[in-house]
Amino acid sequence: MSNENRLFLKRELIRLIKNLTLQQAISTQREPRIDEIIRQLEEINPNPQPFTFENLPKLVGDWQMMYSTNQNYTPLEVEVSTWDIAIDIRIRENLALSNTGIIDSCGCVFIKLAAFAEWKMEVEGVWNINDYNSALVTLKTFAFQPTQPLILPGLKIPIFDFFSTKKLSVTSYLDEDIRFGRDDTGTLFVFYKSL
């Protein structure tokens, strides 16, 4: 498949995700057309081994989650018409490469309630590379911070080993601005890189 076809599939995937209704976004039903495009893109993955030395820099950056096959993780922008209150939930993941070749991650959930209030929840972790397309993610800290109307100091809590703090992350597609990841439950995440 040509690079033009790959770019067409990416544009179509982004269009379909952006046009999901609220009901579709929080539904447990899979979107067959989105699933099919994801499958096609995975088959023509330009970087099938994202955790090799030459591909690691492509993982680095600020990634915004666009879509998830688990409705609990799907980003939402909802307007509750009864009270004219908009609720906006955004999920981001920042990946940075350390000097030792380990990937440091910081996942953030931003919850905004119209212009009234905003909260940030953050989980920091480390990706230990397993093989060419998977890593074992160890979660280290959890933080919660109100950011609107006032920026208050955050509360950072270490995640101790007796909690379930490790999860497998598989990267099944990676290019210059889109990444597909799956966790050990099989949930698929589509991320878009913020430039």
Side-chain angles (χ1 to χ4, degrees):
M1 191 174 279
S2 72
N3 197 44
E4 287 178 8
N5 288 341
R6 186 176 65 84
L7 294 176
F8 170 78
L9 287 171
K10 281 176 50 173
R11 284 191 300 270
E12 181 67 5
L13 177 65
I14 291 168
R15 184 188 70 76
L16 288 170
I17 290 172
K18 286 186 175 181
N19 288 331
L20 286 174
T21 65
L22 172 62
Q23 186 174 6
Q24 290 170 314
I26 62 174
S27 170
T28 57
Q29 297 293 317
R30 301 285 294 264
E31 292 298 318
R33 181 64 183 137
I34 290 175
D35 286 350
E36 176 60 23
I37 292 174
I38 287 170
R39 186 194 61 74
Q40 289 175 342
L41 284 169
E42 286 175 330
E43 286 180 1
I44 56 169
N45 186 356
N47 301 294
Q49 298 180 332
F51 292 109
T52 56
F53 181 76
E54 62 272 6
N55 285 330
L56 283 178
K58 295 176 181 131
L59 283 168
V60 171
D62 191 25
W63 296 89
Q64 179 171 334
M65 189 185 2
M66 298 177 60
Y67 176 77
S68 165
T69 56
N70 182 334
Q71 76 279 6
N72 294 330
Y73 297 113
T74 301
L76 298 174
E77 190 169 338
V78 181
E79 190 163 313
V80 182
S81 57
T82 309
W83 303 292
D84 280 336
I85 297 174
I87 300 171
D88 186 14
I89 300 172
R90 295 284 170 236
I91 302 170
R92 303 185 83 81
E93 183 174 51
N94 186 281
L95 301 177
L97 193 58
S98 73
N99 293 338
T100 60
I102 292 174
I103 300 170
D104 293 317
S105 71
C106 181
C108 293
V109 177
F110 297 92
I111 302 171
K112 186 171 186 173
L113 182 62
F116 307 120
E118 182 179 83
W119 299 273
K120 177 172 86 168
M121 291 176 283
E122 188 174 87
V123 177
E124 292 180 346
V126 174
W127 290 26
N128 294 298
I129 297 169
N130 274 352
D131 54 34
Y132 293 128
N133 69 347
S134 71
L136 188 64
V137 181
T138 304
L139 304 179
K140 297 291 188 186
T141 62
F142 172 80
F144 176 80
Q145 179 181 21
T147 56
Q148 266 188 4
L150 301 170
I151 298 176
L152 300 174
L155 175 63
K156 188 178 261 191
I157 303 165
I159 300 174
F160 298 105
D161 287 338
F162 55 84
F163 293 110
S164 178
T165 61
K166 296 183 189 296
K167 63 179 184 169
L168 185 68
S169 177
V170 175
T171 300
S172 60
Y173 180 89
L174 175 68
D175 68 21
E176 59 279 354
D177 56 9
I178 288 187
R179 173 170 60 96
F180 302 159
R182 285 182 169 79
D183 66 12
D184 39 17
T185 68
T187 299
L188 170 77
F189 302 94
V190 176
F191 290 93
Y192 185 80
K193 189 180 248 184
S194 304
L195 301 174

